[in-house]
Amino acid sequence: MAITVRKLANLGSSTSLSYLMSKKHKAYIQGLRDLSPWIGSSLRDFSVGAGQTGSSASFDTSEDGAGLSPIEFQRWHNGDGIFHKSASIDPTALIETSAVVHPKSVVGAYVHIGSGTVFGPSVLLGQLTKIGYNVALSNCAIGNSCVIHSGVCIGQDGFGFFVDEKGNMLKKPQLLNAMIGNHVEIGGNTCIDRGSWRDTIIGDHSKIDNLVQIGHNVVIGRSCMLCGQVGIAGSVTIGDYVTLGGRVAVRDHVSIVSKVWLAATIFVTKDIKEPGDYGGFPAVRIAFVFFIYILINSFHKWMIESVPIQWRRQVATQFWTSKKGIYDGVDFGEVSSAVSNLLGVSTIYQDIKYGSKLFMESLC
């Protein structure tokens, strides 16, 4: 699948998914920073060492900030946030009180960063993007015109471990990044892990609800919608225009094609290779589920209205006492054709075939 994702540092061109995955990631991220139009000569000079007006911030460095001197952090003139002098920040950006921008981060024009937000080193943030309160960003690049709501965490290590020969649980390296496209909205307390063997990618115009977990190496296409409490395990690939209802779960290393709609609370356990609507546990075509529902209800109505009660009792007794299948020798092509004519709708042959078989098995 080839998913087109724009370069997230506003490079003015697009790059294919295969290109993103084949590049040496550290060099690629550094290249984004070097080529970004925000980091022109004016922004390179926009630091304390180049005549920038800012006051020193006196605060203790944490363990994560070991090796950084407090005097290298300054107060931002617009909002009173704190930034490192090596960060490249557009003068129009608003950084509210208690927000911290760490070294070598890039902040685009007209960005709004809420209080309590922390930008880890080398984070890229596109123009016109709004960041809520208490957001944690690291090892990531975020495109233009995005909305990141409060409590979101992007770019933390994925959940990857292995057992060594001594039986100890050891951590797998998580060294790549999370790449968020343009016009993406991410709801509160959602977590998006960084990649281990490929970057985690969220395509342009995708919308993510609150409390969503996206594992490492996940690739999500353009204009996808993920409702609340969705959980996507690692290394999943999702196409364009895919909708996941509330509390949908997707197992690891599954691929889902474009234009798929997944009903709420379902569990996707294997690849979905055809567009359409899916539901159930595990996920199956909704046309299949609808057919079973109609067939069972039609049979029940026919039994009540047309069959004497004595015969119904005799048939039910035989079904419960005998576990033999009664579908042997049935021409399911004829069954599907008859049901299609009866319902007056066009149905998929495979759905009717397996639906008829499952229904007849359920009578045993």
Side-chain angles (χ1 to χ4, degrees):
M1 180 186 66
I3 300 175
T4 300
V5 181
R6 295 180 182 177
K7 288 186 180 180
L8 303 178
N10 194 24
L11 297 180
S13 61
S14 62
T15 180
S16 67
L17 176 60
S18 60
Y19 175 81
L20 288 174
M21 294 169 57
S22 63
K23 270 305 243 184
K24 293 183 179 179
H25 297 280
K26 291 184 179 180
Y28 176 70
I29 293 299
Q30 185 61 39
L32 283 178
R33 184 177 182 276
D34 293 340
L35 294 176
S36 173
W38 311 321
I39 317 179
S41 58
S42 62
L43 285 184
R44 284 197 178 93
D45 293 337
F46 202 70
S47 61
V48 173
Q52 182 171 320
T53 57
S55 59
S56 296
S58 58
F59 59 91
D60 295 331
T61 57
S62 64
E63 182 179 353
D64 293 337
L68 297 177
S69 171
I71 63 174
E72 296 179 338
F73 286 86
Q74 305 294 321
R75 296 284 181 187
W76 183 246
H77 71 284
N78 186 14
D80 205 34
I82 298 170
F83 71 100
H84 191 269
K85 66 180 184 180
S86 67
S88 297
I89 306 175
D90 190 277
T92 61
L94 172 62
I95 304 177
E96 294 185 359
T97 301
S98 76
V100 181
V101 179
H102 279 266
K104 299 182 181 179
S105 291
V106 178
V107 179
Y110 303 103
V111 165
H112 185 168
I113 302 174
S115 297
T117 293
V118 177
F119 276 58
S122 302
V123 170
L124 305 176
L125 185 60
Q127 59 189 356
L128 298 171
T129 291
K130 183 176 180 180
I131 308 295
Y133 303 119
N134 299 313
V135 173
L137 304 177
S138 59
N139 311 300
C140 67
I142 299 175
N144 302 326
S145 303
C146 295
V147 178
I148 312 296
H149 290 279
S150 300
V152 169
C153 295
I154 301 176
Q156 65 279 352
D157 285 353
F159 192 75
F161 301 90
F162 68 96
V163 180
D164 66 6
E165 63 278 3
K166 297 181 180 180
N168 300 317
M169 189 71 71
L170 302 180
K171 185 179 182 65
K172 291 183 179 180
Q174 310 286 316
L175 302 178
L176 301 183
N177 304 283
M179 314 289 282
I180 312 299
N182 301 317
H183 305 282
V184 173
E185 182 163 350
I186 302 176
N189 296 308
T190 287
C191 296
I192 303 175
D193 296 339
R194 67 192 295 198
S196 60
W197 63 272
R198 68 178 180 183
D199 286 338
T200 302
I201 298 176
I202 310 296
D204 295 346
H205 297 278
S206 290
K207 310 300 179 185
I208 302 174
D209 199 358
N210 303 331
L211 298 170
V212 172
Q213 164 63 28
I214 299 176
H216 56 185
N217 313 314
V218 170
V219 174
I220 297 176
R222 292 174 53 90
S223 301
C224 293
M225 180 176 292
L226 280 62
C227 298
Q229 296 186 333
V230 163
I232 303 177
S235 303
V236 169
T237 302
I238 298 177
D240 303 333
Y241 306 103
V242 175
T243 297
L244 280 67
R247 300 188 70 182
V248 167
V250 183
R251 63 157 292 179
D252 58 297
H253 297 275
V254 163
S255 294
I256 301 175
V257 300
S258 299
K259 298 181 181 179
V260 168
W261 184 87
L262 302 177
T265 71
I266 73 171
F267 182 26
V268 180
T269 60
K270 58 183 179 180
D271 293 350
I272 295 179
K273 300 179 181 180
E274 296 182 2
D277 300 343
Y278 291 79
F281 182 90
V284 294
R285 293 287 294 270
I286 285 183
F288 168 83
V289 178
F290 175 74
F291 166 72
I292 293 296
Y293 175 80
I294 294 296
L295 193 60
I296 291 176
N297 279 273
S298 299
F299 178 78
H300 181 263
K301 183 178 180 181
W302 174 78
M303 288 282 288
I304 294 297
E305 294 179 353
S306 306
V307 180
I309 187 170
Q310 295 85 356
W311 188 88
R312 294 203 306 269
R313 288 175 178 172
Q314 181 181 356
V315 171
T317 302
Q318 182 178 358
F319 285 164
W320 282 109
T321 56
S322 175
K323 298 301 182 181
K324 293 181 180 180
I326 63 172
Y327 54 85
D328 295 335
V330 175
D331 187 339
F332 290 105
E334 294 182 2
V335 173
S336 64
S337 177
V339 173
S340 297
N341 294 332
L342 176 64
L343 298 180
V345 297
S346 176
T347 54
I348 299 174
Y349 173 77
Q350 290 294 332
D351 290 342
I352 296 297
K353 175 181 177 181
Y354 294 115
S356 302
K357 185 173 181 179
L358 179 61
F359 169 69
M360 298 183 78
E361 285 181 334
S362 70
L363 299 180
C364 299

